């Protein structure tokens, strides 16, 4: 049986009691907000500020679930990135190219899109783009990512990217992992061609090892370990 306790005290004392009780709650609120900020930061790539793989996947799933056939998932892989890292500008030039690529992808995707850095020079994007506009929007992205990047010493570095894309409307799945795998196969099919490739059923059927396209760097050893 519940009971109510009345505190009979002058107004000043009651205010003191309320304030005393509120201090721990305020402390926990501040702690929770700080923890939330740390967790959010941990989900982002420190170099580019983009979402990490887990953060990207969560937001991409929201986009594909919400927009269905009008959603698009793209995988972006920079061409000849090792040559940039090994060039005169070294890793500083490589970092500048990665940061510029992240900025361009973010601008292209818009504030409602999801952009993540999966690792190295590999990026993923999830956006809402209807079938009628996919071809032109992907062509715009290809041109955008092919613009030279100015590095720290003022020199311009030529860059290019290979792009594969996949849509639930074409592949019949809204799973962002399956869409990304098909986009990966499409990207590989169009590697160094200067054009984005939209995945079809044949790309979804490409063999995979531990969720990665067979033949990708690292999949041979992964297969042996498995």
């Amino acid at each position: 049986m519940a009971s109510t306790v009345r505190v009979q005290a002058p107004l000043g004392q009651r205010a003191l009691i309320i304030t005393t009780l509120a201090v721990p709650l305020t402390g926990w609120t501040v702690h929770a907000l700080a923890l939330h900020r740390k967790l959010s930061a941990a989900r982002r790539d420190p170099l580019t500020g983009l979402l990490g793989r887990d953060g990207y996947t969560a937001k991409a799933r929201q986009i594909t679930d919400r927009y269905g056939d009008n959603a698009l998932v793209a995988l972006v892989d920079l061409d000849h990135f090792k040559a940039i890292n090994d060039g005169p500008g070294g890793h500083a030039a490589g970092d500048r190219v990665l940061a510029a690529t992240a900025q361009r992808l973010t601008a292209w995707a818009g504030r409602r899109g999801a952009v993540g850095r999966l690792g190295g020079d590999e990026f993923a994007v999830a956006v809402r783009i209807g079938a009628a506009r996919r071809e032109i929007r992907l062509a715009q992205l290809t041109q955008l990512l092919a613009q030279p990047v100015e590095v720290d010493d003022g020199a311009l570095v030529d860059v290019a990217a290979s792009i594969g894309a996949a849509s639930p409307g074409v592949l019949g799945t809204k799973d962002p992992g399956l869409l990304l795998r098909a986009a990966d196969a499409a990207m590989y099919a169009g590697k160094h061609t200067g054009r984005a490739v939209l995945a079809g059923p044949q790309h979804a059927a490409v063999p995979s090892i531990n969720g990665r396209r067979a033949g990708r760097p690292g999949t041979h050893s992964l297969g042996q370990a498995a």
Side-chain angles (χ1 to χ4, degrees), residues 3-222:
S3 61
T4 301
V5 177
R6 295 182 178 274
V7 179
Q8 300 294 335
L11 180 61
Q13 291 183 11
R14 288 202 297 267
L16 178 60
I17 293 172
I18 293 172
T19 302
T20 302
L21 292 173
V23 168
L25 295 177
T26 303
W28 276 111
T29 300
V30 172
H31 174 72
L33 290 173
L35 181 60
H36 176 72
R37 284 194 293 267
K38 289 180 180 179
L39 290 174
S40 297
R43 298 175 70 186
R44 291 192 173 271
D45 174 58
L47 175 62
T48 63
L50 297 180
L51 293 168
R53 183 179 291 271
D54 290 344
Y56 162 78
T57 300
K59 190 168 183 181
R61 190 176 299 279
Q62 293 175 356
I63 291 172
T64 56
D65 284 346
R66 181 173 183 179
Y67 298 116
D69 292 354
N70 289 321
L72 187 73
V73 169
L75 183 75
V76 176
D77 189 71
L78 296 181
D79 295 337
H80 310 299
F81 183 70
K82 186 176 185 302
I84 297 174
N85 263 340
D86 294 343
H91 288 282
D95 288 350
R96 183 69 191 94
V97 169
L98 292 173
T101 300
Q103 293 170 358
R104 294 169 177 180
L105 289 172
T106 300
W108 181 82
R111 64 185 181 86
R112 294 186 178 180
V115 185
R117 182 185 178 196
L118 303 183
D121 59 329
E122 189 175 77
F123 302 85
V125 186
V127 289
R128 178 189 181 185
I129 301 177
R133 300 182 62 239
R134 283 177 196 145
E135 185 175 344
I136 188 170
R137 291 281 280 127
L138 287 172
Q140 291 171 345
L141 178 59
T142 301
Q143 294 176 358
L144 180 63
L145 295 180
Q147 299 299 314
V149 175
E150 182 177 345
V151 295
D152 291 340
D153 59 1
L156 293 177
V157 175
D158 290 329
V159 294
S162 294
I163 304 169
S167 170
V170 176
L171 299 183
T173 178
K174 294 190 291 185
D175 186 298
L178 296 177
L179 292 170
L180 194 63
R181 187 186 308 170
D184 179 24
M187 180 275 295
Y188 182 75
K191 192 72 174 169
H192 304 308
T193 64
R195 63 183 181 86
V197 177
L198 183 64
Q202 72 275 21
H203 298 108
V206 170
S208 64
I209 299 173
N210 291 356
R212 295 168 62 84
R213 171 177 44 81
R216 245 190 177 289
T219 55
H220 180 66
S221 59
L222 284 173

